[in-house]
Amino acid sequence: VMRRNPFGMDICCRKGSRSPLQELYNPTQVSLSNTAILHQIRRDQVTDTCRANSVSSRKRRVLTPNDLKHLVVDEDHEMIYCYVPKVACTNWKRVMMVLTGRGKYSDPMEIPANEAHVSSNLKTLNQYSIPEINHRLKNYMKFLFVREPFERLVSAYRNKFTQKYNTSFHKRYGTKIVRRQRKNATQEALRKGDDVKFEEFVAYLIDPHTQREEPFNEHWQTVYSLCHPCHIHYDFIGKYETLEEDSNYILQLAGVGNYLKFPTYAKSTRTTDEMTTEFFQNISSEHQTQLYEVYKLDFLMFNYSVPSYLKLE
């Protein structure tokens, strides 16, 4: 069932053209309507999960500007993108720089990865006034990309704890994890924190102490907590598993699909399902169960089934 856009036709149109939001909810091309139905199903899944788990959100908290720092705004195409680390966010930030750069950039892949993460290169929603925030949340097309939660977690672990160049992560998190989770740790391991095992990383994530002392780092924070899908209605939920087609569909909705394509490159180092299975083999069923609880809403909300390799208690 296609629902009409709740805001009708009062969405301000860009220079006489249709906005991405209008194009998404009332597609002019027949070829897009099947895709539109798929995305309606994804939206409904989020809505239903939020409703089913709303016991905690009865005292619905108001979002603060700090909650909006992951939402990147593109004024020219009236879109808002919530970036989730380890879900192609570097490439999406590059694309957003092309979209918002007013001609400064034309090829996303010519933008160095580290430049894509410089916060001043993109404008985020928390930099606006409350009325401006509300206007954009109501009238712009909001989208995010998600990934199977444990695959994303293993990807974050591999990137942050097994690469020698990530010394800042080793210092900030590695040393803490080794100190807490490793019996008889050597002085060198306590000082460097560069040899954290996946089992220790999992133990750190499910440790109540961790949850109490500070929010998770964004690389392993849940999508639920980064993008607030129960408070912000996302019009489009892209998946890492169908990254290319979902991304190019968004660029089509924005009216730039003819000259801008989402960058694709075969990364042989990419974390796969098989790899994730291997990483979880040494995790006790008790720890697997506790970890699943931490990421459960992401599994349910974005329709990922419980991995077959899990031994849940």
Side-chain angles (χ1 to χ4, degrees):
V1 179
M2 284 300 300
R3 293 200 189 130
R4 283 190 66 78
N5 169 11
F7 311 121
M9 295 303 285
D10 63 357
I11 296 162
C12 168
C13 311
R14 302 189 323 292
K15 308 165 198 67
S17 69
R18 286 161 60 85
S19 75
L21 202 54
Q22 289 170 315
E23 201 51 66
L24 176 69
Y25 287 99
N26 300 300
T28 43
Q29 299 174 42
V30 178
S31 62
L32 293 185
S33 44
N34 284 348
T35 317
I37 291 167
L38 165 73
H39 289 285
Q40 181 64 58
I41 291 167
R42 289 184 186 174
R43 284 193 293 274
D44 288 346
Q45 177 77 19
V46 172
T47 307
D48 295 346
T49 308
C50 290
R51 204 171 287 139
N53 294 276
S54 68
V55 191
S56 54
S57 61
R58 283 228 178 89
K59 44 178 191 305
R60 182 174 167 143
R61 73 189 192 82
V62 175
L63 294 179
T64 66
N66 195 42
D67 291 321
L68 305 175
K69 61 179 190 287
H70 273 247
L71 280 81
V72 175
V73 181
D74 171 2
E75 293 290 354
D76 294 353
H77 304 91
E78 300 186 354
M79 300 197 300
I80 295 173
Y81 160 58
C82 184
Y83 68 90
V84 178
K86 308 312 299 171
V87 192
C89 88
T90 306
N91 276 353
W92 255 110
K93 283 180 176 181
R94 285 171 164 143
V95 169
M96 292 299 275
M97 283 172 72
V98 172
L99 289 172
T100 59
R102 310 219 163 166
K104 193 172 164 190
Y105 313 95
S106 59
D107 179 1
M109 290 319 276
E110 279 176 7
I111 302 171
N114 57 344
E115 203 168 308
H117 297 295
V118 174
S119 55
S120 58
N121 282 334
L122 290 165
K123 195 160 187 191
T124 48
L125 197 57
N126 58 340
Q127 295 167 357
Y128 292 83
S129 69
I130 303 286
E132 289 172 331
I133 288 171
N134 289 334
H135 171 77
R136 281 155 186 76
L137 284 177
K138 181 180 172 185
N139 296 303
Y140 287 16
M141 184 179 88
K142 301 164 294 300
F143 69 96
L144 78 164
F145 275 79
V146 297
R147 183 178 185 178
E148 201 279 341
F150 285 170
E151 197 179 286
R152 177 177 165 241
L153 192 64
V154 168
S155 177
Y157 165 77
R158 290 178 65 218
N159 179 247
K160 298 303 171 196
F161 295 108
T162 68
Q163 306 289 346
K164 289 295 168 220
Y165 61 80
N166 263 322
T167 46
S168 61
F169 263 82
H170 302 155
K171 282 264 184 290
R172 182 163 178 206
Y173 294 99
T175 52
K176 188 188 291 181
I177 293 171
V178 169
R179 188 173 69 242
R180 275 205 214 145
Q181 307 300 340
R182 190 178 302 175
K183 292 191 175 84
N184 313 321
T186 64
Q187 283 309 306
E188 188 185 21
L190 288 166
R191 191 178 78 252
K192 285 189 172 170
D194 64 352
D195 65 343
V196 170
K197 296 183 181 68
F198 186 63
E199 299 88 287
E200 295 170 328
F201 177 52
V202 168
Y204 162 78
L205 294 175
I206 58 179
D207 183 347
H209 189 115
T210 307
Q211 306 262 5
R212 274 198 309 273
E213 79 180 348
E214 58 183 1
F216 275 5
N217 176 279
E218 60 176 14
H219 290 84
W220 47 86
Q221 180 60 282
T222 61
V223 177
Y224 173 76
S225 304
L226 285 176
C227 295
H228 315 285
C230 290
H231 295 77
I232 293 170
H233 170 80
Y234 286 93
D235 303 289
F236 190 102
I237 294 143
K239 293 207 162 187
Y240 192 72
E241 294 76 14
T242 47
L243 176 62
E244 224 171 301
E245 56 205 86
D246 289 351
S247 299
N248 287 323
Y249 179 51
I250 289 174
L251 297 176
Q252 220 177 327
L253 292 171
V256 298
N258 296 339
Y259 60 87
L260 181 60
K261 292 278 175 275
F262 192 76
T264 58
Y265 53 97
K267 271 186 85 176
S268 52
T269 55
R270 191 174 94 68
T271 301
T272 60
D273 186 44
E274 293 75 46
M275 216 179 269
T276 306
T277 305
E278 241 164 84
F279 271 91
F280 271 85
Q281 277 178 341
N282 298 329
I283 307 295
S284 71
S285 58
E286 183 192 356
H287 280 188
Q288 287 185 6
T289 305
Q290 289 171 286
L291 190 68
Y292 179 76
E293 280 304 315
V294 174
Y295 292 93
K296 186 179 178 178
L297 277 178
D298 280 6
F299 274 101
L300 296 173
M301 200 167 273
F302 307 117
N303 207 14
Y304 288 107
S305 49
V306 178
S308 56
Y309 57 76
L310 283 194
K311 311 178 287 286
L312 297 183
E313 292 192 331

